[in-house]
Amino acid sequence: MLSILACGSLFFPGLFYGLRKVLKSTFTHWNDADVVAVSERLVSSVHASLATVSGLVVVNTCQNVMTDRHWLVDSFVLFGAPYMLYDISAMYLTHYHQHRLGTSAAHQNHSLQTVKAFLRKERLLVLHHMALLLVFMPIVLFFRRGLGDFFIACFWMTEFSTPFVSLGKILIQFGLENSKLHWINGVMVLASFFTCRILLFPYMYWRYGRQFDIPLHSVPFHLPLHCNVGNLSILAPQVYWFILLVKKARRLYLRKGNAQGPKTE
């Protein structure tokens, strides 16, 4: 258990450090903010890819959604736990270097003020990471009595949209926000987010109902209240973030249409 935790503690910060070195030497015209931001997003994509693949493996293995076990579940929870603390640190570094780009803040050092500004800006993501670390991880490892590997793996598959979100931010950073690739990636962001972060919940209820011969609309009434409340508490921010993504996509589409203007003969 400790060895797996140690591997995760070394892997994610080590990958971040290595990517910063490579990007800094490869793209010599980039500033520190660019290097840190791209490195953070690449590591985030790696973690998301590992989580998605692990989730697919477990979901396709578990026939009984309640009792079937897979060794990947506890192992990946331990391996991925350090990522939560690492990612908060990496997000803070991105915020810090971007803040220093301003003329008046060019020589500003780390301070309580910059930490507070970061927490105000990224409060939802920080809360999300800490909840996974302090609530989700102990439940998975110690309190679920070996039940529900299938459902935990389903939650991992919500990370499928993360690489597309990261790629979109990287394309903007390269000045390619008006490119066809950015448009295609935006469609993939919306499709993957809606499929793996919203439709995933009725899929889990459907799999449970199919196993116990319960109609989908009746499944919530056959589950303990805390299961429904827990699912709702996870689903709610996903719906909120999806609405933000749709609004952003609509603004970009309208801005692009206005920039092109009406055609004249």
Side-chain angles (χ1 to χ4, degrees), residues 65-84:
V65 299
M66 292 302 298
T67 60
D68 281 359
R69 300 298 312 273
H70 197 288
W71 64 268
L72 259 177
V73 173
D74 288 355
S75 297
F76 189 76
V77 167
L78 286 167
F79 180 76
Y83 170 80
M84 302 305 162

Side-chain angles (χ1 to χ4, degrees), residues 78-94:
L78 286 167
F79 180 76
Y83 170 80
M84 302 305 162
L85 291 178
Y86 145 78
D87 197 43
I88 293 174
S89 302
M91 287 191 299
Y92 168 73
L93 284 178
T94 300

Side-chain angles (χ1 to χ4, degrees), residues 129-151:
H129 281 26
M130 294 307 297
L132 289 176
L133 187 63
L134 300 178
V135 178
F136 179 76
M137 186 179 77
I139 289 175
V140 170
L141 294 178
F142 305 113
F143 299 111
R144 63 190 180 95
R145 304 188 307 277
L147 300 175
D149 281 18
F150 169 84
F151 297 107

Side-chain angles (χ1 to χ4, degrees), residues 200-213:
L200 178 71
F201 288 87
Y203 168 74
M204 290 191 295
Y205 278 64
W206 173 77
R207 281 290 302 268
Y208 181 92
R210 189 181 71 167
Q211 178 169 320
F212 296 101
D213 197 24

